[in-house]
Amino acid sequence: MLPFAQGQLAWPDGPALFLRARDGAALRQFPLAQLVCEQSFRPDAELLERAGLRVVADAANDGARYPLVLVLPPRQREEARALLARAVQLVAPGGIVVAAMTNNEGAKSGEADLKQLTGIAGSLTKFHCRTFWTRPLGETVDSALLAQWSSLDAPRRIEGGRFLSRPGVFAWNRIDPASALLVECLPTDIAGHGADLGAGWGFLSLSLLERCPGITALDLYEAEARALTLAKGNLGSVTSSARLDFRWHDVTAGLPERYDFIVSNPPFHTQSRADRPDIGQRFITAAAAALKPGGRLWLVANRHLPYEQTLNDSFGEIRVAGERDGFKVIAATKARR
């Protein structure tokens, strides 16, 4: 927001669009009644909603174009280029795109990419971040490059065509080795109504249903809507009678159901890759609160993560079910009393 605060850019009188929007004090210097926020990560979307801002899942659905498009490109290069291309496509003729990235998440590359696509009118650096913006857009856009970049984060088949994934989601182009270890350690007698916390593109859930015929229902919880959509596709052809429910939900806020079992490969860092073991700890406490007495949690984590005390405080029985390549699988049973 710095170029607006300094008067180098003017805030529009009409609508504006914010891709990958996040709330913050700097944003609140400006009139926001006509601001449309697109955010697929549930915790950030909830903060925007609580602030009274309009949040949409896909800004392209209503066909509107905007005189100003703000964008916070992600760290993953293909996803970031695709998002810059979307921003350009959603700008009204004569409108501008303004982007910002932190220096340690590829700000220099992001500025170079937008310059290659549209040209750059200006940039500012402060707070270990870089903000850069276009001239009023018209014929200066490289239409061939725009078409190429627009498809960079499109869903695609991975692992020999077995699964659908896309750049930007966790372990997007491979089976995560921690999840693979967890699947190997799961017994076949898991049964009843269960949940997959942090389900990603659906590998754990799909493996559970293939391995455990006694499962009657499975709820997939995932904070990133882009990943949850992939999970729906990947589980769409599964041969199981289990009832499936896909929930765009922040697990750290707690769970609304009671379960016979829970599996999880919880995140332990933020979207910016900063270490946050407290996220995994909150997954554990949420799982413990949601499990029925005698219910079981199957969890995989890096060996170094400080989860033992949280597990000891939350469960009656804990054991290490497997270890490999720096990962450990924990089987925890909730006390029956």
Side-chain angles (χ1 to χ4, degrees), residues 5 28 41 55 59 64 102 104-105 110-111 114 123 169 181 193 200 214 222 230 251 266 290 293 327 330 334 336:
R28 308 218 154 263
F41 187 58
V55 182
T102 60
N104 62 359
E105 292 181 20
E111 182 176 356
L114 189 59
S123 69
V169 302
L181 175 62
H193 185 188
E222 173 55 49
L230 295 167
V251 170
F327 301 109
I330 305 294
K334 186 171 181 177
R336 291 189 178 276

Side-chain angles (χ1 to χ4, degrees), residues 89-131:
Q89 290 169 328
L90 290 166
V91 169
I96 65 169
V97 172
V98 182
M101 303 175 73
T102 60
N103 292 339
N104 62 359
E105 292 181 20
K108 189 173 181 180
S109 297
E111 182 176 356
D113 285 344
L114 189 59
K115 182 178 181 180
Q116 184 181 359
L117 185 63
T118 65
I120 291 290
S123 69
L124 289 172
T125 58
K126 195 171 184 180
F127 309 123
H128 307 290
C129 300
R130 185 183 299 250
T131 302

Side-chain angles (χ1 to χ4, degrees), residues 41-104:
F41 187 58
R42 188 60 186 157
D44 288 339
E46 288 177 340
L47 289 174
L48 292 163
E49 289 168 350
R50 285 199 290 269
L53 296 171
R54 181 187 171 198
V55 182
V56 299
D58 187 345
N61 284 343
D62 60 8
R65 299 181 72 184
Y66 299 84
L68 170 65
V69 177
L70 307 171
V71 57
L72 297 176
R75 185 184 188 123
Q76 209 280 337
R77 188 77 178 273
E78 288 184 317
E79 185 189 5
R81 283 178 163 176
L83 192 63
L84 289 173
R86 283 194 70 233
V88 171
Q89 290 169 328
L90 290 166
V91 169
I96 65 169
V97 172
V98 182
M101 303 175 73
T102 60
N103 292 339
N104 62 359

